[in-house]
Amino acid sequence: MIEIACPMLGPEEAAAALAVLASGRLVHGPQVEAFEAAFARRHGAEHGVAVSSGTAALVALLRAHEIGPGDEVVVPAFTFFATVAAVLAVGAVPVLADIDPETYCLAPEAARAAISPRTRAVMPVHLFGQPADMSRFESLCGERGLALFEDAAQAHGAAIGARPVGSFGGAAFSFYATKNLTTGEGGMVLTNDAGIAARLRRLRNHGRGASGLHEVAGTNARMTEMAAAVGLVQLERLADANAARRANARYFDERLRGVGLPRAVPGTTHVYHQYTLRLPASADRDAFVAGLVERGVGARVYYATPCHRQPALRAASARVEPLPETERASREVLSIPVHPGLDEAARQTIVDAVSALAERGAD
Ligand SMILES: Cc1ncc(COP(=O)(O)O)c(C=O)c1O
């Protein structure tokens, strides 16, 4: 089976983790500091604060900006549920808005329509590795006096022109096992604000400040030295790994017919966390996915149930905007393996399998 994700870990990561174990310094050490600095530099941000997961990064980012009860945060409905859950975790109200049908990212006009007097922030997601339309979000948030955050969990190394994602003021990344850069579990907040960075450092470490006192009720969201050591090696691999993802995407772009292909927005660097196909509305997606799996291609649907229809939202207070494109995408999309571990035989198997099923659908 060609898996949908494959962490690219080698002897360098193993050596880095073992060196930490041998050093005896497992937390609060030089690896975390070095990883924070290197990751921030790579993404054009001034400060990096490493945490234990992407979800912890999102929650810390919102808390550091004092977003909480009574506040609304506009997010896309078509994303991994953690985007929405993080807003709920700080006691704020997620406002679920629709996506652009081409990029699957939050649509700026939908976000604009979702703004109310209680809105404090807009948080697009760079979904599947495609940067959201940040210049329009910057204008919108500037005009309305709102904070702009990025859920960059799926977009390490992506860029808009020369500007990396993560540099727009407040961003959260995930280093979960399937991500373009992994530490097993882990996350990072990037910010250009020294005060916010200091708050983030407090929040992740039980709210403890320089005085040693617990200045706020924080949490334990620390990254370990082992994870950071692995992250540093992974960061060195990132450019090559993303280039391999893009080469795989180009291979599929040139060969696949009869299915909707992901369109990288011109002028942006899409890092293909997923390569997401769209089937015609009349197609039987379940049969298509099953057919791929039968042919050894580990296809998956991200996301069959959009956030507004998740059971967790029934008891939560959330606001739901009109979501026709979210609904359509959740019925029509599926993702095929695009990770850097694909060899020529795997790529050919994927193309043959998709082509056979697309042809069958066209009969
Ligand atoms: C868009 C998005 N946001 C947030 C997260 C949460 O990250 P984590 O699983 O590291 O908590 C993920 C991934 O898991 C994600 O894909």
Side-chain angles (χ1 to χ4, degrees), residues 53-55 58 79-80 82-83 125 151 153-154 174 176 179 186 303:
S53 71
T55 306
L58 287 167
T79 177
F80 183 61
T83 314
V125 180
D151 181 336
Q154 302 185 0
S174 162
Y176 178 64
K179 298 297 194 267
Y303 298 94

Side-chain angles (χ1 to χ4, degrees), residues 22-356:
S23 79
R25 178 107 194 221
L26 304 185
V27 286
H28 294 303
Q31 301 294 327
V32 167
E33 271 179 32
F35 185 39
E36 290 176 337
F39 193 84
R41 202 177 321 114
R42 171 67 183 77
H43 290 88
E46 286 178 32
H47 309 277
V49 180
V51 291
S52 52
S53 71
T55 306
L58 287 167
V59 171
L61 176 64
L62 296 169
R63 277 197 72 185
H65 285 83
E66 295 179 324
I67 289 175
D71 297 330
E72 290 182 353
V73 180
V74 178
V75 293
F78 191 65
T79 177
F80 183 61
F81 192 68
T83 314
V84 173
V87 178
L88 292 171
V90 300
V93 174
V95 181
L96 280 64
D98 210 4
I99 53 165
D100 177 292
E102 294 277 334
T103 63
Y104 303 115
C105 296
L106 181 64
E109 59 280 11
R112 177 183 290 277
I115 291 169
S116 85
R118 285 177 299 282
T119 306
R120 287 277 314 281
V122 178
M123 185 157 70
V125 180
H126 305 305
L127 202 73
F128 305 145
Q130 167 66 62
D133 191 346
M134 293 307 285
S135 62
R136 290 185 59 202
F137 286 118
E138 274 194 313
S139 322
L140 174 63
C141 291
E143 196 185 296
R144 307 295 284 267
L146 305 174
L148 174 59
F149 301 135
E150 300 167 76
D151 181 336
Q154 302 185 0
H156 321 70
I160 300 163
R163 191 163 173 195
V165 305
S167 63
F168 289 82
F173 289 80
S174 162
F175 306 131
Y176 178 64
T178 59
K179 298 297 194 267
N180 292 31
L181 185 165
T182 185
T183 59
E185 296 276 8
M188 182 86 73
V189 187
L190 296 184
T191 176
N192 296 326
D193 181 321
I196 294 289
R199 262 191 210 158
L200 288 164
R201 289 181 202 291
R202 267 201 304 273
L203 285 169
R204 74 166 170 196
N205 187 33
H206 303 292
R208 201 180 233 158
S211 62
L213 296 175
H214 299 274
E215 293 163 4
V216 290
T219 184
N220 176 0
R222 294 184 301 256
M223 176 177 277
T224 66
E225 285 283 283
M226 277 92 72
V230 170
L232 275 165
V233 180
Q234 287 272 294
L235 187 59
E236 277 173 31
R237 290 190 197 279
L238 182 64
D240 286 349
N242 281 346
R245 286 176 183 273
R246 278 198 298 279
N248 291 338
R250 209 158 42 243
Y251 185 98
F252 297 147
D253 290 346
E254 286 165 3
R255 289 166 179 80
L256 295 180
R257 298 288 172 267
V259 288
L261 303 180
R263 193 182 73 93
V265 175
T268 66
T269 306
H270 190 323
V271 293
Y272 293 98
H273 175 60
Q274 298 295 347
Y275 188 92
T276 300
L277 307 175
R278 190 194 276 270
L279 300 185
S282 57
D284 180 343
R285 182 179 59 181
D286 290 346
F288 203 102
V289 172
L292 288 174
V293 171
E294 265 166 38
R295 289 165 172 79
V297 177
R300 294 273 187 93
V301 176
Y302 303 106
Y303 298 94
T305 305
C307 294
H308 65 292
R309 286 201 270 108
Q310 294 293 344
L313 224 59
R314 278 187 215 132
S317 77
R319 201 147 63 66
V320 178
E321 292 286 295
L323 301 170
E325 293 301 340
T326 295
E327 294 286 5
R328 197 162 72 84
S330 67
R331 285 193 303 269
E332 296 177 356
V333 300
L334 68 120
S335 298
I336 56 175
V338 71
H339 58 76
L342 300 181
D343 59 13
E344 177 58 24
R347 299 198 300 189
Q348 192 59 55
T349 300
I350 294 167
V351 167
D352 290 346
V354 173
S355 302

